[in-house]
Amino acid sequence: MITSKIIANGILRALGVIVAIAVLVLFLNKIQSVIVYLFIALLLSMMASPIVKFLKTKLKFPHVVAVITTLFLFICLLAGFIMLFVPLIITQSENLSLLDTAKLEQNVNDLITQINGYFSNHDIDTGKLVKEADLTSKLNFNFIPDFINSLVNILSGFGIGLGSVLFISFFFMKDQKGMDTAFRKLLPDAHEEKILSSLRKIDHLLSRYFIGLILQITVLFVMYLIVLLIFGVENALIIAFITALLNIIPYIGPLIATVLVIVLTMLGLMGPETQGEMLSTTLYVVIGYSIAQIIDNNVSTPLIFSNSVKSHPLEIFLVILISGLVFGILGMIVAVPIYTAIKVVAKEFLPQNLFVRMLTKDL
């Protein structure tokens, strides 16, 4: 018989669970940077594992020396990657000093006047609409230096994250066997096989996901590079690589890439000989980027999300949206891998649950 005491206890337990979940979400939100560092360090250690094994077996390096050598190779690779940005930074800094926002606004006003004249010749009265909206008075290109400054501020925190990731990765690789042994000892005997099976499946699915993501970025890089080379944008190789790399941020990344390429293209055409071509070239580049992103959204992205992690595109979209609202951009980046891991564990431990069966039917 259900009594008022049982109902009250049930309500209290439910409230306790809700409060605990809310506290956990708040806590994870506060330490999201640490979670990302751990996640990146784990990925780095997985990528470095074959190199460490090669150094130990083929070159007879001691384990610690092999780990240090591997990390040193990664640091050299990163340093080489950063050096690619030096010409871009120098060029754009010089162009930024030539930035004449008043002249740029005048060019846009002239372009709008030309567009109005074209439509007027075709009996389309847009001049009145533009005048009523007073668009030209609202144009302000002073956001460009502010955008560059914001980008520099973001990059300034890169050193802290890099140091943290390298430090954590070192101990992940150095103490891998000890951590594996300790982890196995902590597993309950009744569920050990299920947990190990889940880890193997997660490793397989995430490997496919990251390989697909690298392939997607490579395809975007090639398409972006072709667009930039066609229209003669300076430092096309570096700009194409940066904007393609931004695709690791689902949905938001392509928008950021478009804004960035607009800024860099306009800054690259700040010379007196090319400033007149600035707007038309930038427009063509944006159209080219948009076509590349349409191809990516309709071919590459569904292929990666649907086939690699065995999830429906709408399902992935909702997961990324929720993660972005709760944890920001970092949450969007790690949403798919973490969600995939949760699905694998749920299928292994709750195979009879109807909701779990529905979500994991393709795993």
Side-chain angles (χ1 to χ4, degrees):
M1 181 177 179
I2 300 178
T3 63
S4 58
K5 183 177 180 180
I6 294 176
I7 296 174
N9 289 336
I11 294 174
L12 289 176
R13 283 197 297 270
L15 290 174
V17 171
I18 293 173
V19 171
I21 293 175
V23 172
L24 178 62
V25 170
L26 181 62
F27 175 72
L28 293 176
N29 187 41
K30 293 295 183 181
I31 64 167
Q32 58 178 300
S33 297
V34 178
I35 296 174
V36 173
Y37 294 159
L38 288 170
F39 182 74
I40 296 175
L42 180 61
L43 291 179
L44 182 61
S45 62
M46 292 171 62
M47 294 168 57
S49 180
I51 302 176
V52 174
K53 185 177 180 180
F54 173 81
L55 293 176
K56 290 170 59 179
T57 56
K58 301 297 182 180
L59 302 182
K60 307 302 180 182
F61 279 28
H63 179 67
V64 175
V65 176
V67 170
I68 294 175
T69 303
T70 302
L71 285 178
F72 178 73
L73 292 175
F74 274 108
I75 292 173
C76 291
L77 183 64
L78 180 62
F81 171 73
I82 293 175
M83 291 301 294
L84 290 174
F85 289 84
V86 174
L88 177 64
I89 294 173
I90 293 175
T91 302
Q92 304 307 338
S93 298
E94 293 174 352
N95 291 334
L96 190 61
S97 64
L98 301 174
L99 181 61
D100 185 353
T101 56
K103 177 64 176 177
L104 188 57
E105 291 181 18
Q106 181 61 44
N107 290 338
V108 174
N109 293 339
D110 293 342
L111 179 63
I112 292 175
T113 301
Q114 294 174 13
I115 293 174
N116 289 337
Y118 173 82
F119 283 112
S120 297
N121 293 334
H122 291 78
D123 297 327
I124 301 175
D125 187 9
T126 57
K128 183 178 179 181
L129 295 176
V130 173
K131 184 176 180 180
E132 291 177 352
D134 199 18
L135 293 176
T136 56
S137 66
K138 299 175 183 177
L139 291 172
N140 185 0
F141 287 86
N142 290 320
F143 77 94
I144 296 177
D146 295 337
F147 177 83
I148 299 297
N149 291 333
S150 299
L151 188 61
V152 170
N153 291 332
I154 292 173
L155 294 176
S156 65
F158 178 74
I160 298 175
L162 177 62
S164 301
V165 168
L166 292 176
F167 184 79
I168 297 170
S169 300
F170 172 76
F171 286 101
F172 274 177
M173 291 187 286
K174 175 180 175 294
D175 301 326
Q176 183 178 6
K177 289 186 177 180
M179 293 172 65
D180 290 343
T181 302
F183 178 72
R184 287 177 176 269
K185 290 181 179 179
L186 292 174
L187 297 178
D189 295 336
H191 302 293
E192 180 176 350
E193 186 57 35
K194 290 184 178 180
I195 295 174
L196 294 178
S197 176
S198 298
L199 292 177
R200 287 191 294 268
K201 292 179 180 177
I202 291 170
D203 180 65
H204 173 68
L205 289 174
L206 293 187
S207 297
R208 294 180 57 185
Y209 170 74
F210 286 113
I211 291 173
L213 190 59
I214 292 172
L215 179 61
Q216 180 190 24
I217 291 174
T218 302
V219 172
L220 267 179
F221 165 72
V222 172
M223 291 191 292
Y224 287 167
L225 181 60
I226 291 173
V227 171
L228 296 175
L229 289 177
I230 288 175
F231 297 107
V233 178
E234 292 185 12
N235 301 303
L237 183 69
I238 304 172
I239 295 175
F241 182 79
I242 297 172
T243 51
L245 194 62
L246 285 169
N247 207 65
I248 63 174
I249 307 174
Y251 305 111
I252 302 297
L255 297 177
I256 300 175
T258 301
V259 173
L260 184 60
V261 78
I262 290 173
V263 173
L264 294 178
T265 302
M266 295 176 72
L267 287 177
L269 297 172
M270 281 297 167
E273 301 86 1
T274 58
Q275 191 158 343
E277 305 173 3
M278 180 192 308
L279 296 176
S280 59
T281 301
T282 302
L283 179 60
Y284 294 144
V285 169
V286 170
I287 293 174
Y289 263 56
S290 300
I291 294 173
Q293 290 168 6
I294 289 172
I295 295 173
D296 174 68
N297 291 335
N298 289 278
V299 179
S300 304
T301 299
L303 192 64
I304 291 175
F305 288 159
S306 299
N307 296 334
S308 298
V309 297
K310 306 296 183 181
S311 296
H312 192 277
L314 178 59
E315 182 183 350
I316 292 296
F317 174 77
L318 293 175
V319 169
I320 292 174
L321 180 62
I322 294 172
S323 299
L325 292 174
V326 177
F327 299 109
I329 291 180
L330 296 178
M332 298 179 71
I333 296 175
V334 302
V336 174
I338 291 177
Y339 177 66
T340 301
I342 293 173
K343 284 179 62 174
V344 170
V345 173
K347 182 176 183 177
E348 198 68 39
F349 285 89
L350 301 170
Q352 302 304 321
N353 185 280
L354 183 61
F355 183 69
V356 172
R357 289 172 60 184
M358 180 180 65
L359 288 179
T360 61
K361 61 181 180 180
D362 294 326
L363 285 180

